[in-house]
Amino acid sequence: MASLARARSRFTRRSLFLVEPLTGCPKMRRNAEAETHVEKQWQGDGTTLSLEEIIIGRCYNYIRVVNPSVGEKNCSQIWEAFRDAFIFKDPCKVLPKDYEPFIRLTVHDVPLNKSLFWENSQLLVGRYADNTKRMMPLDGTLMGWLAQGLAWCGHPGGTGMNYKSCPTTDECEHNPVESFWRIASEAYAKLAAGVIHVMLNGSVSDGAYPVNGFFAKFELTNLIKDNILNIQIWVMDEIEGPDNESCGSKTIKLLETTLQEDGFQYTCTDNYKPVRLLQCVDFPTHHDCLCAQ
């Protein structure tokens, strides 16, 4: 693989820096910067071990078992495009555009009426989507499937990846994971068509529709209006959780106003029954789950 060869070539050249004389030459200064960078401890987890094997394995699992309808994909090439977005780079200087080659290689159609966006309800969304059988949220697409739950970042020296720690968004905005999910969210929103769905958590205390969340900043703004028939909002309270927000109130009202101003048709439902029944599987005797006598 050509890009892998280039990566290995970079590693070889970098390792040679250590045997050059300390004369203040640019190569030595770059190596000193790399060593300083390695010593920095970030707050986030380091790169997931066996990252290459995981991503290539997930890729083949997706195109062969989970969603063969996407057709053939070059999983090795996809890994290389993903890796090249961040390897050997300062983990605070990775931009969304660095993942554009990866997005082009992994993008595929999202079935009509199957898009599902969310905030603060990832586990419930995953259960309801049922591995793309019912819905296809972002992590049900190939690009999201490959990266979900993983950590990764680079550093200028060594193997080009930092396995000890990676920066969080609080530490620097343009970190590899944050930038990845930004461009992936934008790409996913542009694929949405027909009736789309938004699952929000009505029990959180800091806003069911966070104006700085991914849905507001990167997905809602990238929906293609002519492709959207209707937006269904589902405000789901947690079983045994408080009812902090409902349709027509607080931040949900803000979302509804935004949709009206943008000319979208929408509906809003509190505790959408099919999802509520799924929640009740784990709380069958809770009073919120008992059928009326």
Side-chain angles (χ1 to χ4, degrees):
M1 296 179 285
S3 57
L4 182 56
R6 289 196 296 272
R8 287 173 175 166
S9 176
R10 284 199 297 270
F11 170 66
T12 301
R13 291 197 297 272
R14 288 172 185 275
S15 64
L16 291 176
F17 296 164
L18 297 174
V19 299
E20 293 180 0
L22 292 171
T23 59
C25 67
K27 287 185 178 181
M28 280 306 306
R29 285 197 296 271
R30 285 199 298 270
N31 189 68
E33 292 170 0
E35 291 301 318
T36 299
H37 189 279
V38 169
E39 294 173 0
K40 183 174 180 62
Q41 291 297 307
W42 303 103
Q43 295 177 10
D45 293 337
T47 299
T48 303
L49 296 178
S50 305
L51 184 65
E52 176 180 359
E53 291 79 6
I54 291 171
I55 288 182
I56 291 178
R58 284 184 176 185
C59 178
Y60 280 114
N61 181 51
Y62 190 89
I63 66 175
R64 297 285 187 262
V65 179
V66 178
N67 189 11
S69 67
V70 302
E72 281 299 304
K73 300 287 185 180
N74 188 326
C75 294
S76 295
Q77 189 177 10
I78 286 171
W79 156 249
E80 292 169 5
F82 180 82
R83 176 203 62 199
D84 289 349
F86 69 92
I87 195 169
F88 288 115
K89 293 182 180 179
D90 184 324
C92 287
K93 295 181 180 179
V94 177
L95 301 176
K97 67 179 182 180
D98 294 329
Y99 290 100
E100 287 177 354
F102 170 86
I103 297 296
R104 287 194 294 269
L105 289 170
T106 56
V107 71
H108 57 81
D109 290 339
V110 174
L112 194 68
N113 307 326
K114 297 296 186 181
S115 297
L116 176 56
F117 301 87
W118 56 271
E119 286 286 356
N120 296 309
S121 52
Q122 182 178 9
L123 294 179
L124 186 57
V125 162
R127 293 174 64 192
Y128 185 69
D130 192 20
N131 288 334
T132 76
K133 295 181 180 66
R134 187 177 290 113
M135 291 287 175
M136 188 177 286
L138 172 54
D139 60 9
T141 66
L142 178 57
M143 57 186 169
W145 185 273
L146 297 181
Q148 184 60 45
L150 303 179
W152 66 91
C153 67
H155 64 68
T159 64
M161 297 187 195
N162 191 335
Y163 292 97
K164 294 182 178 179
S165 64
C166 291
T168 65
T169 302
D170 290 337
E171 293 176 288
C172 60
E173 180 180 4
H174 298 303
N175 67 73
V177 175
E178 177 78 8
S179 291
F180 172 85
W181 288 112
R182 288 186 179 188
I183 192 172
S185 295
E186 292 172 358
Y188 176 70
K190 293 173 183 177
L191 297 169
V195 178
I196 69 170
H197 314 83
V198 183
M199 190 184 298
L200 304 175
N201 190 330
S203 292
V204 296
S205 59
D206 55 351
Y209 169 65
V211 294
N212 289 320
F214 268 65
F215 178 64
K217 292 180 66 176
F218 307 113
E219 295 171 334
L220 181 57
T221 56
N222 280 286
L223 293 176
I224 300 175
K225 182 180 175 183
D226 290 344
N227 294 344
I228 309 301
L229 296 177
N230 183 269
I231 298 177
Q232 294 186 2
I233 306 168
W234 301 333
V235 184
M236 305 304 303
D237 296 331
E238 298 173 4
I239 303 296
E240 298 187 330
D243 178 12
N244 286 328
E245 291 199 40
S246 301
C247 294
S249 70
K250 300 181 181 179
T251 64
I252 304 297
K253 179 61 176 177
L254 175 61
L255 172 57
E256 293 177 282
T257 299
T258 300
L259 294 178
Q260 289 174 348
E261 292 174 347
D262 291 344
F264 287 106
Q265 298 294 318
Y266 75 92
T267 61
C268 186
T269 304
D270 290 315
N271 294 319
Y272 178 60
K273 189 173 181 179
V275 179
R276 194 62 164 177
L277 291 173
L278 183 60
Q279 289 177 299
C280 286
V281 169
D282 294 327
F283 299 89
T285 60
H286 193 273
H287 62 82
D288 287 343
C289 298
L290 298 177
C291 296
Q293 299 298 319

